[in-house]
Amino acid sequence: MQYVGVIMQLYHHPLSLDSQKVRLVLEEKNIDYTSFHVNPITGKNFDSSFFRKNPNAKLPVFQNGSHILFDTIEIIQYIERIAMVSCGGEESSLSSGDVVEWIYKIQQWNPKLFTLSHVPPKYHLTVSKFLRRVIIARMAECPDLASAYHRKLKEAYDTEDKLKDPETLRRSEEHLERILDEADEKLSDTTYLLGEEFTLADVVFIPVLSRLVLLNLEDKYIATRPNLAEYWNLVKKRPSYRKVIGKNFDGWRRHYTLFKTWCFVRIRSLLKHY
């Protein structure tokens, strides 16, 4: 499906949780788009061409003509409106308040600290050091963007400090568990998060579960919640899941995707090529 003859553009990466959410929406709504991979682990989001487009350097970035969106929730709602207009629907067919409330609830949990805290230190410290050097190199190349790059450098150091704070990590884990507990309770009466229909709330929730599986935490966080475990087995069968997430992270693909990225960082670090 195309919108007003324009193919939309999505800058994303398979490892990005928010990118997965947006891609799932696009697949569920059958909307065509041009895909551009930007790997944040190798610092491609700090390349000046991308950084000028989005100084936050965060993924995904969605572009439709001259209209550019950076916020994940705004992108999801924008795509929903596109799909509604294309199908001749009315405003009333947009997601309900309950769906929007769940989307915001899930988005309030930041997976970055949780993810890094479950990655062996030798890996995340190597990547962190590499990315800081990438930022410094780009700052030297583009003096006009120095202040924006400096903010990202400060964020990188702040992240390292937070990873050393047990209280910060505890709050992150408790936040996640509250969401999982509430989801498990809701799923005791319904097939999907908010009823018998698959909604955008499910779209933004699926990548959270996928991240737990990627970190080998399925037994601790999903299997211990029977309704959630049944739901997870169900949503993995959806074509959108298989195309967006399963294709990259099911079985041996999980190791290949991560190994390829890790090798890139190691080689560039050894060559001091940032």
Side-chain angles (χ1 to χ4, degrees):
M1 181 185 296
Q2 299 181 17
Y3 182 60
V4 197
V6 176
I7 295 291
M8 287 152 280
Q9 301 172 340
L10 181 68
Y11 299 82
H12 68 98
H13 192 268
L15 289 164
S16 160
L17 216 69
D18 282 339
S19 292
Q20 292 173 358
K21 295 169 186 177
V22 170
R23 288 192 65 212
L24 284 170
V25 176
L26 288 164
E27 294 300 329
E28 289 287 339
K29 300 296 183 182
N30 296 312
I31 293 178
D32 290 338
Y33 63 98
T34 302
S35 172
F36 296 96
H37 278 204
V38 181
N39 193 335
I41 296 180
T42 60
K44 292 300 181 182
N45 53 323
F46 296 117
D47 286 356
S48 59
S49 58
F50 183 83
F51 202 65
R52 291 184 189 279
K53 190 184 296 288
N54 178 20
N56 284 326
K58 293 181 180 179
L59 297 172
V61 171
F62 184 80
Q63 183 169 359
N64 184 17
S66 61
H67 194 54
I68 302 176
L69 294 171
F70 314 114
D71 180 81
T72 300
I73 295 179
E74 290 181 6
I75 295 172
I76 290 171
Q77 292 177 324
Y78 183 78
I79 292 169
E80 184 183 31
R81 288 194 295 273
I82 289 174
M84 180 198 69
V85 171
S86 299
C87 296
E90 299 180 354
E91 192 77 15
S92 58
S93 64
L94 292 174
S95 291
S96 68
D98 288 341
V99 171
V100 174
E101 181 181 346
W102 255 94
I103 291 174
Y104 275 97
K105 182 182 300 185
I106 294 168
Q107 283 299 106
Q108 285 171 358
W109 178 67
N110 186 341
K112 185 174 184 178
L113 287 178
F114 181 87
T115 298
L116 292 177
S117 68
H118 287 85
V119 172
K122 70 173 183 177
Y123 292 120
H124 83 69
L125 289 174
T126 297
V127 172
S128 177
K129 183 178 180 180
F130 173 80
L131 290 177
R132 292 198 301 269
R133 290 179 173 177
V134 168
I135 295 171
I136 292 170
R138 299 297 169 271
M139 193 185 306
E141 293 170 358
C142 306
D144 60 311
L145 295 173
S147 61
Y149 278 123
H150 188 269
R151 283 195 297 271
K152 299 308 296 183
L153 188 60
K154 184 178 183 301
E155 284 181 18
Y157 281 111
D158 287 345
T159 296
E160 289 303 316
D161 288 340
K162 289 176 181 177
L163 284 170
K164 299 172 185 175
D165 180 12
E167 181 62 21
T168 298
L169 299 180
R170 183 188 63 79
R171 287 197 300 268
S172 175
E173 182 174 8
E174 288 180 348
H175 188 172
L176 170 65
E177 289 188 327
R178 285 195 299 272
I179 293 173
L180 298 178
D181 287 341
E182 186 173 350
D184 189 61
E185 183 178 351
K186 282 185 170 294
L187 290 166
S188 64
D189 298 318
T190 61
T191 302
Y192 297 107
L193 273 182
L194 294 175
E196 299 309 306
E197 291 187 8
F198 186 87
T199 69
L200 294 185
D202 299 288
V203 164
V204 299
F205 188 48
I206 289 171
V208 174
L209 301 181
S210 176
R211 176 57 54 90
L212 294 174
V213 174
L214 183 64
L215 294 171
N216 294 317
L217 296 171
E218 182 175 3
D219 288 345
K220 179 177 181 180
Y221 291 101
I222 299 176
T224 53
R225 297 171 171 87
N227 301 316
L228 192 61
E230 184 178 351
Y231 168 86
W232 174 234
N233 288 328
L234 174 66
V235 297
K236 284 191 296 183
K237 298 175 183 177
R238 296 186 74 84
S240 60
Y241 169 87
R242 291 199 296 267
K243 184 171 183 178
V244 173
I245 301 175
K247 184 176 72 172
N248 296 295
F249 298 109
D250 281 355
W252 64 269
R253 299 179 185 87
R254 173 197 335 194
H255 305 290
Y256 174 74
T257 301
L258 296 174
F259 179 73
K260 182 173 67 172
T261 300
W262 172 248
C263 286
F264 180 94
V265 170
R266 289 293 295 159
I267 291 171
R268 293 288 287 269
S269 295
L270 289 171
L271 296 174
K272 299 187 184 301
H273 188 178
Y274 308 112

